[in-house]
Every structure is written in structure tokens, then in C-alpha cells.
Amino acid sequence: MAAAIEIADAEGLEAVSIRRVATALGVRPMSLYTHIERKEDLFDLMADEVNRELIIEGELPSHWREAITMIARREHEVILRHSWVIDLVARHPRVGPNGLRHGEQNLCALSGLDVDLATAARIVTAVDHYMTGYVIRERLLRDQRADHLAEPYIQQMINEGDFPHLRRAMREGVPQQESFEEGLRWLLDGIERSLGRS
Amino acid sequence: MAAAIEIADAEGLEAVSIRRVATALGVRPMSLYTHIERKEDLFDLMADEVNRELIIEGELPSHWREAITMIARREHEVILRHSWVIDLVARHPRVGPNGLRHGEQNLCALSGLDVDLATAARIVTAVDHYMTGYVIRERLLRDQRADHLAEPYIQQMINEGDFPHLRRAMREGVPQQESFEEGLRWLLDGIERSLGRS
DNA sequence: CCTCTCTCCGTACAGCGTATCGGCGGAGAC
DNA sequence: GTCTCCGCCGATACGCTGTACGGAGAGAGG
């Protein structure tokens, strides 16, 4: 599992093949099947190992917003480091021991709040959705290094077509940079407001 | 391309193989390579075709919030129908003509707002992140049909471990259902508030 | 009619996950 | 000591994948 994670971190998920992992372990491919039943099991293990890193040791901040923010930041940082987990959990749900612990901690962060469990769960998942989308995009920007929109054929399309806003954005050199914190703040502001109102 | 989309809709992205598409077209596999250079090109075409569906015909609502909501709803509906696009654009960016048109329309929706282009872009991407995460999760829930957390071994883990909140959630039967609209409202509320403040 | 281009395609190769089966070494029973 | 059983390793093989390579045939322009 550690070997597989190392490969995935370095070269992406599709580089993780049974033969590749076996080679890294100095063993023949079929030997792996004494410990796992299918390759998916290996993926499950890898995902749960990342979930372990998501768990925050020690006390959570007592204020729900700080606690959720802290968890979201941790998720952002860890998942960006192992960005292949996104593809794993997007394929189908992988609920391991550490996944449960992480879920528990999420609900725990909201326990000071006077809302029912269903609402707490929806808050958690909403933040999770934002985080997920953000990490996916950040990975894209990172992996392609340069600004994709600067590619010649795209510039040409923008210049020749009817794209006033895009053309202006291109001329002004609007950075694609975004901020995890800003979007998170927006979302939490909205949640906070709906709490105050209800 | 249409044949490939049909296969992907019905059986998922991994069912889209060169041989499969060729068979659907009544043609030999290698013939496809006359029209595309690599399989990725086919994926590019498929993604842009979905982007075409994202474009809203006619006038957008003049109020930014209504416009963005309308676009987000369209994205939600269309992408859930072709949920494999998420995996495509998550792998690497695919900017085709329709993708640009859609981007233009997004900025257009915010053009009545008194913010600079960079801020507008960040607003658009933040909403996009939420939508992306939401669709991924909704697809998970749909594809597995039943409630995954209800599986015996998970129940057992929850009951035997130290998971007070999860246990309570299980006992109370907290539904996993979430609402696209609610989270979107939260996010837009937060954005609106930050606009008013600045 | 010759040539050029465009499309189709047969074959082949390297890689994948994994089903099947066989061998080997250590632990426990007598 | 010997016998048995079980856990681990592994060789081979099957069917799948994307695609490199080269050839065949048809239609167009000279």
C-alpha cells in the first residue's frame, strides 16, 4: 500500500498497476493477490490511508466555524498532496475506518451548533463539495504548469469569435488564480447567515 | 462522437473503447484513427459537445444572481445526465469552442455587477467548484442505489468504535439526501454579502 | 490513364487485470 | 522425526486495451 501511494503521488493513479507495485516491492505480480482480492481493494486501502491524514489530532476549536475551517484546510492540503484520492472516491464511495473517523470529526465540529443532525450533515457535505471542486481545479492548474488559456489556438478562437468578456479578460491578463479561503469564506458566510435567520 | 457519447451515457466512460465505438459504427477499430489522432481527441470532442448543452439560449436574467443560478442549474442537470464529463475535465482541461462560449456566458451573467473581471472569474469558479463536488456526490448516490452506509460491516464498525455522532445519525436514520439549491443559496448568499460589504 | 489523396483496415505489440494451478517453507499434531 | 496443512510466492495464459505500421481501394484532377 505504501509503495502504491508512493507511485501514485509521483506519477499519478494510472501509473499504479499491479505489475508496477509488485516490481517496486521486489516481488512477482501475482503475489499481491495473496493479500488483496482485487485491485480495487488496494485502492480502498490507499484511500483510507489518506483519510488517516485528514484526521486532526488534539482538540478541535470550539467555535464551529473555526473547526470546520480547520478541517477544510487540512483536507485541502492533504488531498492536494495525494490528489489521486479524488478520482478514487469519485468512482465509488470508499468508507474505511479512517473515513468514518474523519466523518465523525466533521460532525463533531458542528456539535456545538443548535441544528439537527441532518442539517449538520448537509453543511459538512456542502463544504466538502466546494473543497472537492477546488482541489480538482487546483490540480489542473498545477499539472499543466502554464496557463492553458494562453495557448495560441485558444487565443485565436477568442479573438475571432464573439467573446467580448473573454477577450477583455485576455487583454487585461486576468489571472486565473483563485483563493481557497475566499470561496470557503463565502460559503461559510452563507451558512452562518442561514443559521442566524432560522 | 455521438456514438461514443451514447455509450458513455449508458455504460460509463470506461466502456468507451476504440473497438467498442468502431463496432457501434459498423467499422473497424483502426478506421477511427483517420478522423482522430488519439483517443484523447475523441474525449475532447465529447466534452465540448456536452459544453454545447450548457449554453443557455435566449436572454439571461438581468439580475446576476438569477443568471448565475440559472446557469448552475443547467450545469447540474446536464452534467448529471452526462456525468462522465466530470472525469474528463478533471483529468486535464478541455477548452473547445463551446467551452469558451459557456465561459463567456458565465462572465456575461456577472457583467451587470460592479466588480473587476478577476473577481467575477473567482465567483464563477467558486460556484463551479460547488457544482462539481455536488454532481460527483450525486452520481455516487445514484450509482450505488442503496445507502452505502447501511452495509453491515460499516454498521458494525460504527457500533463497535468510538463514533457517537455517527451512531446517533444511524439510529435516527439521518437521510443522506442533500439539496443542490440549498448549498448554492448558501454560497451565493455569502458572495452577495461580500459584495455589499466592499 | 496516371497519380494523388482520403478512407478503411489487417496485423502486431506492449501493456493491463486476473483466473488457474503448482511449488515451497514453516507450524502444529502425533 | 514425520506428516499434514496452510499461507505465501509465482509461472503461465486469456482477453482486453490503445495504437504503430503499412497496404488496399476508390474517387478526383490532370
Side-chain angles (χ1 to χ4, degrees):
Chain A
M1 185 195 71
I5 290 182
E6 206 163 322
I7 294 173
D9 283 346
E11 304 175 44
L13 194 58
E14 64 283 358
V16 179
S17 77
I18 294 289
R19 287 164 171 84
R20 189 85 156 61
V21 174
T23 303
L25 293 175
V27 118
R28 302 292 149 221
M30 286 312 290
S31 303
L32 299 193
Y33 282 87
T34 32
H35 311 280
I36 59 175
E37 201 156 83
R38 12 189 60 251
K39 195 189 182 187
E40 281 297 315
D41 298 346
L42 176 59
F43 285 158
D44 286 347
L45 292 172
M46 291 167 70
D48 202 57
E49 187 61 23
V50 172
N51 272 330
R52 162 173 289 127
E53 290 191 52
L54 293 184
I55 298 167
I56 293 181
E57 302 294 339
E59 204 81 9
L60 279 177
S62 58
H63 187 29
W64 70 273
R65 182 158 175 158
E66 289 172 35
I68 283 290
T69 302
M70 180 180 245
I71 292 177
R73 282 184 187 142
R74 171 71 70 96
E75 290 174 340
H76 173 223
E77 177 244 325
V78 169
I79 297 184
L80 192 62
R81 197 144 36 80
H82 306 294
S83 64
W84 37 267
V85 278
I86 297 260
D87 307 280
L88 288 188
V89 301
R91 258 204 284 262
H92 51 78
R94 304 176 193 263
V95 191
N98 292 311
L100 287 179
R101 271 192 273 274
H102 176 61
E104 175 71 21
Q105 193 163 56
N106 256 316
L107 289 182
C108 193
L110 294 184
S111 60
L113 220 47
D114 184 29
V115 294
D116 56 43
L117 260 178
T119 305
R122 285 194 330 271
I123 291 176
V124 167
T125 53
V127 173
D128 195 62
H129 295 158
Y130 169 72
M131 186 275 303
T132 302
Y134 189 92
V135 173
I136 288 178
R137 180 158 222 266
E138 189 168 4
R139 173 178 63 170
L140 283 181
L141 293 177
R142 180 192 62 184
D143 288 353
Q144 70 188 28
R145 195 153 296 282
D147 189 351
H148 188 252
L149 288 180
E151 292 204 4
Y153 82 97
I154 292 181
Q155 298 238 11
Q156 188 186 342
M157 270 201 290
I158 290 180
N159 275 320
E160 292 178 355
D162 181 28
F163 302 114
H165 297 91
L166 288 179
R167 188 148 43 209
R168 190 153 75 87
M170 220 181 61
R171 212 172 32 236
E172 295 179 11
V174 169
Q176 275 196 60
Q177 190 164 22
E178 14 172 356
S179 153
F180 181 69
E181 295 291 334
E182 182 182 44
L184 182 60
R185 207 161 43 231
W186 283 336
L187 184 55
L188 293 177
D189 276 351
I191 292 171
E192 196 163 5
R193 196 181 132 201
S194 92
L195 291 177
R197 236 184 353 203
S198 67
Chain B
M1 183 193 73
I5 290 181
E6 208 162 321
I7 294 174
D9 284 345
E11 304 176 44
L13 195 58
E14 62 283 358
V16 178
S17 76
I18 294 290
R19 285 166 173 84
R20 189 85 156 60
V21 175
T23 303
L25 294 174
V27 117
R28 301 294 150 216
M30 286 311 290
S31 303
L32 299 192
Y33 283 88
T34 325
H35 309 280
I36 59 175
E37 201 156 82
R38 8 190 62 250
K39 196 189 182 188
E40 281 298 314
D41 297 348
L42 176 59
F43 285 158
D44 285 348
L45 291 172
M46 293 166 69
D48 202 56
E49 187 60 23
V50 172
N51 272 329
R52 161 173 290 127
E53 289 192 52
L54 293 184
I55 298 167
I56 293 181
E57 303 294 339
E59 205 82 9
L60 279 178
S62 59
H63 186 29
W64 70 272
R65 184 159 173 157
E66 290 174 34
I68 282 291
T69 301
M70 179 179 247
I71 292 177
R73 282 185 187 141
R74 170 71 70 96
E75 289 172 342
H76 174 224
E77 177 244 324
V78 169
I79 296 184
L80 192 63
R81 196 145 35 82
H82 306 295
S83 64
W84 38 267
V85 277
I86 296 261
D87 307 281
L88 288 188
V89 301
R91 256 205 286 263
H92 51 78
R94 303 176 194 261
V95 191
N98 291 312
L100 288 180
R101 271 192 273 273
H102 175 61
E104 174 72 21
Q105 192 163 57
N106 256 317
L107 289 182
C108 194
L110 294 183
S111 60
L113 220 47
D114 185 29
V115 295
D116 56 45
L117 259 178
T119 304
R122 284 193 332 270
I123 291 176
V124 166
T125 55
V127 173
D128 194 64
H129 294 159
Y130 169 72
M131 186 273 304
T132 302
Y134 188 92
V135 173
I136 288 178
R137 181 158 219 266
E138 190 168 5
R139 174 178 63 170
L140 283 181
L141 293 176
R142 179 193 62 185
D143 289 353
Q144 72 189 27
R145 194 151 297 283
D147 190 350
H148 188 250
L149 288 179
E151 292 205 3
Y153 81 99
I154 291 181
Q155 299 236 12
Q156 189 186 341
M157 271 202 290
I158 291 180
N159 275 320
E160 292 178 356
D162 180 28
F163 303 112
H165 297 91
L166 289 179
R167 188 149 41 211
R168 190 153 75 87
M170 222 181 61
R171 213 174 28 238
E172 296 180 10
V174 168
Q176 275 195 63
Q177 190 163 22
E178 13 171 357
S179 152
F180 181 70
E181 296 291 334
E182 181 181 45
L184 182 60
R185 206 160 45 231
W186 283 336
L187 184 55
L188 294 177
D189 276 352
I191 292 170
E192 196 162 6
R193 194 181 135 205
S194 92
L195 291 178
R197 234 184 355 202
S198 66

